[in-house]
């Protein structure tokens, strides 16, 4: 911990001068202010590039500046002037680099040359691309001869639709569906839960719904840090009278107050917009109970109102025409006791009724949610509970209403759309077979958790990573780092050095690629690429910057070269012509998904992009029952522990305002008032007293697990914080060492990173 660290509550709003200053400081440090601020004005513009940070929707028409504090940081991080050369790797062994922080590793700058790990010297050495591809092809072919299912093709959610389509095809031609994606650690609970309940794996809203919603309910999504551009939609919604309600164990500043940095009047007058009218500090894992309580109030009041001849509260016509399972759901809800609901939610009956009343009075409500819902043992059912709430008042498929899962990586949703999925039933396998003349694997592939288990038990021999920092993002670092190096082959395609790259199989490559903002010149000239945002709108992205090094290849080219070096020749798969002209990949995507990508190449040139058809958005239910289904959850809380042992705390792993996943931009978490350190444990004052811990005392955590493996983390500075009693907060990825690989959402296998049962070790 740095001696300069300090912790004190932040008094300012989200956005505002704090944000402006943070951007300026950051751009100056990356020397982007000198020659690149103009680049930021092209961010999220039709003639510019899609931001490499989050997947939030891009409005049309656009504002003069369509970037946020964290988007600006992400751009600067990619366009940094710093470079990592072979000289750097000659000076540092990999063992030494393992002692560096996540921050320090990425800080060295952009990777510039292909590298191979040399175990004898414990260093990365430069190789040429031809040799790298030939070796990878040889190794992958040898593994395929034993069993192609022993290779995994991971994707992190950034690569374009074009590259992702090629990558998914590579895996299937190779012989498996082992296509896990960062989505497996993220919104997979959404993909599973929404698909089962309403027949689509994605959200139902479009950005225009923000102009029409009467109420917006936020469950476990930290808009101020993780999708700050959405604050503009929220401010406008509040300005025209919409009500925002937030459920979050922490009082996240972006959900409380916002000053628009692009609004000169607000900036000059230091005025703020209050975001959430009501803010409820739900207990981690308590959202199922919250919604059960709200539903109970709604159903009861509805019965009372209708029998008194007053207007109904539920949308009975919608329920009758569009849903199934209401009877069982309502029976379950009415069987619950308020004392159980209060205990599991951590809220009072009165608070829940206040929320329910706002919901009942709003003609159209949007339900917005994030990792606070999906990353629990019952994450899928928590998602389905939100659907239940929406169905009660017909809040799907009408203007201003719907479900809004806020996706993470800028193309994570799109990667799933074009075939990166371990679930073959979600992919048009028959069409792929016909298009490319091969027999595709039909067996379910490995998810992220399956991959971790396979690496630990030695059934995975090769890992190909298209971006990301798999080893750092997954749970159980202790076990994973040990097992990782037993693999025969590891290949990482990346822009920057991270800790995951320091662990290599018997043969290990680190291949540097172009980022999305860098000009991608191929046989037919500069290419554009496409990505899909959180509202299923597809945008084009045009690069503006010169590549960080002449040795970089595009991700599409790297995928194609690995494919050519590995697979037998197939005249139906034109790898080279695809790389020469990405519009041909778009044609291929359209051929595989004719309904979703009709006229792809033409429509992508429209400034606003185009939205894929989402059946549930117009009340067409592609579910088994043909209706939108009410689902009764298995339990009233979503967590692994049942709450009976008061010494077991629920750990929430958090993102700071100064990080993008495992990429740590700095040590300031401004909104939470934490500066200069990430080694903190946020803990309720009453719990501190109960455990006899003083402010600033160093403490540790130990996981409650039943597999005989010890998982602990020490050196955390206890910090009294406004967090519900019985819960503690710490940063991701540092805390991942505490998460057992088997503690994941039941149906989606998303690691339960938001309620890890732990004990305090003073
Ligand atoms: N700047 C920046 N932007 C990002 C990212 C980043 O790291 N940095 N990551 C990107 C990615 S990949 C993703 S998936 C998204 C993630 O964005 P979010 O979905 O916002 O994810 P988190 O920040 O992990 O957690 C969200 C919130 O859940 C709350 N929470 C925890 N447990 C519970 C609970 O049980 N119930 C409720 N109601 N709330 C709970 C936490 O206090 C926190 O405020 O952001 C994307 N955008
Ligand atoms: N405890 C805990 N664990 C979590 C979470 C949590 O909330 N708590 N969140 C989970 C979530 S939501 C997610 S999405 C995962 C994130 O998991 P990942 O997506 O695997 O991890 P990132 O940190 O986003 O990956 C960062 C790396 O991506 C590489 N990179 C950046 N840009 C590019 C590019 O354009 N191309 C290529 N090829 N590489 C690039 C850089 O080398 C950088 O080091 O983590 C999950 N893990
Ligand atoms: Mo994510």
């Amino acid at each position: 911990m740095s001696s300069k660290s300090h912790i004190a509550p932040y008094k300012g709003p989200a956005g505002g001068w704090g944000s402006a200053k943070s951007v300026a400081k950051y751009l100056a440090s990356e020397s982007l202010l000198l020659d690149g601020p103009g680049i930021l004005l092209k961010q999220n513009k039709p003639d510019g590039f899609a931001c490499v940070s989050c997947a939030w929707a891009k409005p049309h028409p656009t504002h003069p500046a369509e970037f946020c504090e964290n988007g600006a940081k992400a751009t600067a991080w990619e366009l940094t002037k710093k470079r990592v050369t072979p000289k750097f790797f000659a000076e540092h062994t990999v063992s030494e680099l393992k002692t560096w922080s996540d921050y320090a590793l990425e800080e060295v700058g952009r990777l510039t040359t292909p590298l191979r790990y040399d175990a004898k010297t414990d260093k990365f050495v430069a190789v040429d691309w031809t040799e790298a591809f030939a070796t990878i092809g040889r190794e992958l072919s040898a593994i395929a001869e034993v069993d192609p299912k022993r290779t995994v093709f991971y994707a992190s959610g950034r690569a374009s639709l074009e590259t992702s389509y090629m990558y998914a095809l590579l895996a299937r031609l190779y012989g498996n569906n082992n296509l896990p994606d960062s989505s497996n650690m993220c919104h997979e609970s959404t993909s599973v839960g929404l698909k089962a309940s309403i027949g689509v794996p994605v959200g139902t809203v479009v950005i225009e719904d923000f102009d029409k919603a009467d109420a917006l309910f936020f469950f476990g999504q930290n808009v101020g840090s993780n999708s700050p551009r959405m604050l503009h939609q929220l401010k406008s919604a509040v300005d025209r009278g919409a009500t925002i309600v937030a459920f979050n164990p922490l009082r996240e500043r972006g959900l409380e107050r916002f000053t628009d940095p692009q609004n000169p009047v607000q900036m000059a007058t230091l005025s703020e917009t209050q975001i959430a009218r009501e803010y409820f500090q739900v207990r981690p894992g308590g959202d199922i109970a919250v919604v059960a309580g709200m539903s109970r109030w709604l159903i009861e009041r509805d019965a009372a109102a209708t029998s008194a001849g007053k207007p109904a509260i539920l949308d009975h016509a919608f329920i009758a025409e569009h849903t199934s399972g209401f009877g069982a759901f309502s029976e379950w809800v009415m069987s619950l006791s308020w004392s159980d609901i209060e205990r599991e939610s951590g809220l009072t009956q009165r608070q829940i009724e206040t929320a329910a009343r706002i919901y009942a009075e709003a003609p159209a409500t949007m339900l917005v949610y994030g990792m606070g819902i999906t990353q629990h043992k019952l994450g899928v059912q928590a998602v389905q509970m939100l659907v239940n709430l929406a169905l009660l008042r017909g809040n799907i498929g009408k203007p201003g209403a719907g479900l809004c899962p806020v996706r993470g990586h800028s193309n994570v949703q799109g990667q799933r759309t074009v075939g990166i999925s371990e679930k073959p039933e979600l992919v048009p396998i028959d069409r792929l077979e016909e298009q490319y003349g091969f027999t595709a694997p039909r067996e379910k592939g490995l998810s992220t958790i399956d991959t971790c288990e396979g690496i630990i038990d030695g059934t995975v021999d090769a890992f190909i990573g298209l971006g990301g920092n798999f080893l750092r993002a997954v749970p159980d670092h202790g076990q994973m780092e040990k097992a990782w190096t037993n693999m025969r082959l590891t290949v990482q395609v990346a822009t920057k050095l991270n800790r995951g790259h320091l662990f290599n199989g018997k043969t290990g490559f680190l291949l540097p690629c172009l980022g999305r903002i860098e000009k991608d010149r191929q046989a037919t000239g500069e290419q554009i690429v496409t990505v899909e945002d959180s509202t299923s709108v597809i945008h084009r992205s045009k690069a503006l910057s010169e590549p960080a090094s002449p040795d970089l290849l595009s991700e599409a080219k790297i995928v194609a070269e690995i494919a050519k070096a590995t697979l037998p020749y197939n005249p139906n798969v034109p790898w080279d012509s695809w790389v020469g002209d990405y519009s041909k990949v778009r044609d291929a995507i359209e051929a595989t998904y004719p309904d979703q990508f009709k006229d792809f190449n033409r429509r992508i040139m429209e400034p606003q992009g185009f939205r894929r058809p989402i059946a549930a958005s117009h009340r067409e239910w592609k579910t088994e029952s043909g209706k939108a289904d009410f689902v009764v959850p298995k339990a009233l809380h979503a967590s692994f522990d049942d709450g009976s042992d008061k010494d077991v705390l629920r750990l929430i792993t958090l993102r700071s305002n100064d990080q993008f996943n495992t990429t740590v931009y700095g040590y300031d978490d401004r909104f939470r008032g934490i500066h200069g350190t990430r080694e903190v444990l946020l803990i309720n004052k009453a719990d501190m007293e109960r455990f006899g811990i003083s402010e600033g005392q160093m403490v540790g955590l130990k996981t409650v697990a039943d597999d005989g493996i010890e998982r602990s983390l020490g050196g955390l500075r206890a910090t009294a914080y406004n967090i519900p009693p019985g819960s503690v907060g710490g940063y991701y990825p540092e805390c991942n060492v505490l998460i057992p690989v088997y503690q994941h959402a039941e149906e989606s296998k998303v690691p339960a990173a938001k309620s890890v049962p732990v004990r305090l070790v003073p």
Side-chain angles (χ1 to χ4, degrees), residues 52 77-78 106 111 154-159 182-183 185-187 371 375 408-409 412 465-475 493-498 501 511 513-516 555 653-655 660-663 731-733 735-736 739 751 753-754:
V52 295
W77 196 248
E78 182 160 317
E106 290 210 29
L111 296 163
Y154 173 70
S156 133
R158 251 196 219 195
S182 68
S183 173
M185 300 178 247
C186 182
H187 268 292
M371 299 298 99
Q375 294 180 332
H409 274 294
V412 64
L466 184 64
N469 190 358
F470 186 85
L471 196 41
R472 201 73 185 132
V474 298
V493 179
T495 49
K496 288 225 180 157
L497 182 63
N498 63 44
H501 302 152
L511 306 179
C513 66
L514 293 172
R516 190 186 298 149
E555 291 177 314
T653 57
L654 293 165
R655 294 169 157 75
F660 190 91
N661 298 338
T662 69
T663 295
Y731 288 115
Y732 140 66
C735 287
N736 286 36
I739 309 177
K754 293 295 187 268

Side-chain angles (χ1 to χ4, degrees), residues 295-313:
S295 305
R296 190 183 160 123
W297 187 91
L298 292 163
I299 292 169
E300 255 174 4
R301 282 304 158 105
D302 178 74
T306 46
S307 65
K310 292 197 190 131
I313 287 175

Side-chain angles (χ1 to χ4, degrees), residues 23 53 68-75 224-226 228 657-659 665:
V23 171
S53 190
C68 67
E69 169 183 349
N70 289 331
K73 284 184 201 165
T75 301
S225 289
N226 298 333
N657 188 53
D658 235 1
Q659 76 182 82
Y665 299 126

Side-chain angles (χ1 to χ4, degrees), residues 53-56 68-71 73-74 156 182-183 185-187 218-228 246-252 255 279-288 290 369-376 405-410 412 638-639 650-663 665 672 723 732 753-755:
S53 190
C54 80
W56 183 236
C68 67
E69 169 183 349
N70 289 331
K73 284 184 201 165
S156 133
S182 68
S183 173
M185 300 178 247
C186 182
H187 268 292
F218 271 77
F219 292 88
Q221 202 274 334
N222 185 10
V223 58
S225 289
N226 298 333
S227 51
F247 293 93
N248 197 309
L250 307 184
R251 293 203 67 102
E252 304 285 28
L255 288 162
Y279 204 118
F280 300 111
Q281 288 183 265
V282 60
R283 183 176 180 210
D287 303 86
I288 292 179
V290 167
Y369 68 92
M371 299 298 99
I373 289 293
T374 62
Q375 294 180 332
H376 288 290
V406 186
R407 296 274 170 169
H409 274 294
S410 49
V412 64
S639 306
R650 285 185 188 164
L651 168 71
I652 309 175
T653 57
L654 293 165
R655 294 169 157 75
S656 82
N657 188 53
D658 235 1
Q659 76 182 82
F660 190 91
N661 298 338
T662 69
T663 295
Y665 299 126
R672 300 198 185 108
I723 186 169
Y732 140 66
K754 293 295 187 268
S755 55

Side-chain angles (χ1 to χ4, degrees), residues 372-395:
I373 289 293
T374 62
Q375 294 180 332
H376 288 290
K377 181 187 183 191
L378 297 189
V380 171
Q381 307 192 18
V383 167
Q384 293 180 312
M385 220 34 210
L386 299 183
V387 174
N388 294 337
L389 180 61
L391 297 180
L392 288 176
R393 286 186 40 79
N395 272 318

